Amino acid sequence: MKILIVGGGGREHAIAWKLMQSPRVSKVYCAPGNGGTAQIAQNVPIDPFDFAALAQFVKDEGIELTVIGPEDPLLRGIVDFFNERNLPVYGPSSMAAKIEGSKSFAKKLMKRYGIPTAAYETFLDYESAIACVREKGAPIVVKADGLAAGKGVVVAETLEEAEEALRQIMQENVFGQAGARVVIEECMRGEELSLLSFVDGETVKPMITSQDHKRVYDDDRGPNTGGMGTYAPVPHMSDELVADIVRTIVQPMASGMAQDGIPFKGILYTGLMITTEGPKVVEFNARFGDPETQVILPLLETDLLDIFLATVNGELDAIDVTWKQESAVCVIMAAPGYPGDYPKGQPIAGLDKVAAPVTVFHAGTKETDSGVVTNGGRVLGVTGTGKNLHHAREAAYAAVRTIAFDGAHYRTDIGAKAMNAQNGK
Ligand code: AMP
Ligand code: GLY
């Protein structure tokens, strides 16, 4: 079977890598792909927003399934476009993807289905928003409603910070249209956790837990990024807690959306805060996480193609999703300057020295005649696996130290806190 993956980051490289292990997959194409997917699949230079060109390519090549990686094409309706043409596609419709595209929409559904989340109010005008934060006081959370590449959220510890955030979002329009509406939320305290689930509209199959490290520097210092590293599973989060999250959050969300005529088919990413009152939702995403995928898929035993096809056919309940009893750690190697401006086109050395149990998932890279060069902010995700977090970390960091490009930087503490918790058990 031939598959097309839409997207070109580390997440898409990991999806391609996992699908290539399926005995039924004969060929994978990536549009547009990157320097890593070029080595295991065929890159095709089609823009992820050019739905007509993608659909034409699928017809011409006899591709039997298209998998959508990133959120933007989902929100713009790529799944609806493919469905209207009877082309099998994996991912949610644009209406269902709105749970990621509009925070106020997600909040409305959560309220309707009784799903625990932070108390909130939405505002369209600056004066009322300011009045709200002044009345509630700090700490308080200010969010641009729309997509803002993970940067539209300010957890304000002081009233001044909250007011400054509102000024930037609503008056200076730093996030453009995404900030036309703001959500002001109660600040939740607790440990953060990501639980991704395969959902076919009704059936929910949770994956293993994972944690991202969003700040650019060690000890969670510096500005937010798309994610500097992940590990899975989270050792101190019990199976009972996961069952509780599915029962009180993920299943009610899936069932509620199905009943409301916007069934969610694809990957439902639940970002959670484990508070003293129990797990509460921070956000929903409508796709695989990046770099969560780079630690989750290496631990998945089940054939990913079987899961995707069962989802498309509404038969996910028949699939037994199983996981290796191991741990994985992914360390992101970033370009100098990231998350600010960074150079591109720098040669990357040492990739050929990497061997099992390490896999390098390319994010911002490009294949050239003279080898693989950098082509983005997050350049590589180096994933190590092992029998526990300690071994997985050792493997990942040993490989990171053999890979080099000018000005590469990475965090040295991915999974460190969790490993200490594991050792303390
Ligand atoms: P989001 O883009 O909604 O995932 O928010 C980004 C980050 O902001 C989250 O990962 C949390 O660390 C933090 N955050 C968001 N909402 C809240 C909240 N209500 N209380 C505390 N922290 C939050
Ligand atoms: N790593 C966070 C995300 O993919 O949303």
Side-chain angles (χ1 to χ4, degrees):
M1 185 180 275
K2 294 182 184 175
I3 315 276
L4 170 66
I5 299 173
V6 175
R11 161 183 51 211
E12 287 75 24
H13 186 188
I15 296 171
W17 172 86
K18 181 65 187 170
L19 283 175
M20 286 301 291
Q21 294 168 17
S22 169
R24 283 196 288 159
V25 171
S26 56
K27 184 158 187 181
V28 173
Y29 300 86
C30 292
N34 60 35
T37 59
Q39 291 165 12
I40 58 167
Q42 184 179 326
N43 288 348
V44 283
I46 306 178
D47 187 299
F49 294 123
D50 192 345
F51 301 165
L54 290 168
Q56 192 58 47
F57 181 76
V58 162
K59 284 185 207 156
D60 293 346
E61 296 295 322
I63 289 166
E64 286 173 84
L65 180 69
T66 301
V67 178
I68 317 300
E71 60 274 23
D72 321 47
L74 290 170
L75 276 157
R76 281 217 216 157
I78 190 167
V79 169
D80 312 74
F81 188 94
F82 271 58
N83 279 335
E84 281 155 21
R85 286 156 186 78
N86 284 320
L87 300 171
V89 58
Y90 182 83
S93 67
S94 71
M95 267 306 286
K98 219 175 142 193
I99 56 161
E100 169 162 8
S102 165
K103 291 184 191 295
S104 54
F105 177 75
K107 282 286 194 186
K108 234 187 268 170
L109 293 190
M110 282 186 263
K111 197 177 226 176
R112 203 166 139 75
Y113 310 146
I115 292 171
T117 186
Y120 75 102
E121 283 182 63
T122 54
F123 295 94
L124 287 166
D125 77 289
Y126 173 72
E127 295 305 328
S128 330
I130 285 279
C132 172
V133 298
R134 284 192 184 145
E135 185 204 322
K136 297 232 154 61
I140 195 153
V141 181
V142 175
K143 301 185 173 185
D145 188 53
L147 284 188
K151 293 172 194 138
V153 174
V154 175
V155 180
E157 297 295 341
T158 65
L159 193 56
E160 290 69 39
E161 274 178 76
E163 291 187 10
E164 175 58 22
L166 286 175
R167 250 191 310 277
Q168 292 203 0
I169 298 172
M170 302 190 90
Q171 294 201 308
E172 289 167 30
N173 302 322
V174 292
F175 302 116
Q177 239 345 80
R181 186 194 301 260
V182 297
V183 175
I184 294 177
E185 270 185 27
E186 158 205 5
C187 184
M188 300 183 285
R189 302 282 189 198
E191 193 167 352
E192 284 191 64
L193 178 71
S194 301
L195 181 69
L196 284 68
S197 307
F198 298 107
V199 180
D200 73 351
E202 183 56 43
T203 300
V204 169
K205 298 272 176 173
M207 304 188 205
I208 46 174
T209 54
S210 57
Q211 255 175 354
D212 192 4
H213 298 62
K214 290 211 170 108
R215 304 292 199 93
V216 67
Y217 303 127
D218 280 11
D219 302 320
D220 297 326
R221 287 176 301 113
N224 266 322
T225 69
M228 290 298 288
T230 39
Y231 65 93
V234 183
H236 46 288
M237 299 290 177
S238 66
D239 293 347
E240 290 74 37
L241 177 70
V242 171
D244 196 36
I245 294 168
V246 172
R247 187 175 53 79
T248 61
I249 294 171
V250 192
Q251 188 65 61
M253 192 70 183
S255 303
M257 290 180 77
Q259 270 163 26
D260 279 342
I262 37 168
F264 188 96
K265 290 188 178 201
I267 285 145
L268 181 55
Y269 173 133
T270 312
L272 298 142
M273 191 79 80
I274 310 304
T275 73
T276 49
E277 296 158 25
K280 293 189 181 183
V281 175
V282 176
E283 61 163 350
F284 284 115
N285 293 324
R287 47 157 179 93
F288 263 127
D290 191 343
E292 286 83 351
T293 312
Q294 293 90 311
V295 288
I296 290 174
L297 290 186
L299 299 178
L300 176 65
E301 273 175 346
T302 313
D303 187 328
L304 186 60
L305 180 67
D306 289 347
I307 298 176
F308 284 172
L309 292 177
T311 302
V312 171
N313 299 326
E315 295 165 351
L316 194 56
D317 58 335
I319 300 272
D320 194 16
V321 179
T322 61
W323 303 92
K324 293 182 189 159
Q325 298 298 310
E326 290 181 12
S327 294
V329 171
C330 174
V331 179
I332 297 291
M333 297 182 74
Y338 177 79
D341 293 339
Y342 49 82
K344 290 183 180 178
Q346 293 176 305
I348 305 172
L351 289 171
D352 50 334
K353 296 197 198 80
V354 175
V358 176
T359 309
V360 178
F361 296 111
H362 293 221
T365 73
K366 192 167 80 174
E367 203 176 42
T368 68
D369 291 341
S370 54
V372 175
V373 301
T374 68
N375 193 40
R378 292 190 292 175
V379 176
L380 302 169
V382 180
T383 298
T385 58
K387 64 180 182 196
N388 57 29
L389 263 183
H390 174 74
H391 283 87
R393 255 174 66 81
E394 294 280 306
Y397 278 109
V400 164
R401 288 189 288 270
T402 67
I403 301 170
F405 53 89
D406 263 357
H409 67 98
Y410 55 87
R411 281 181 61 157
T412 66
D413 64 347
I414 304 301
K417 259 195 261 168
M419 190 181 61
N420 295 337
Q422 191 173 38
N423 290 342
K425 260 191 189 169

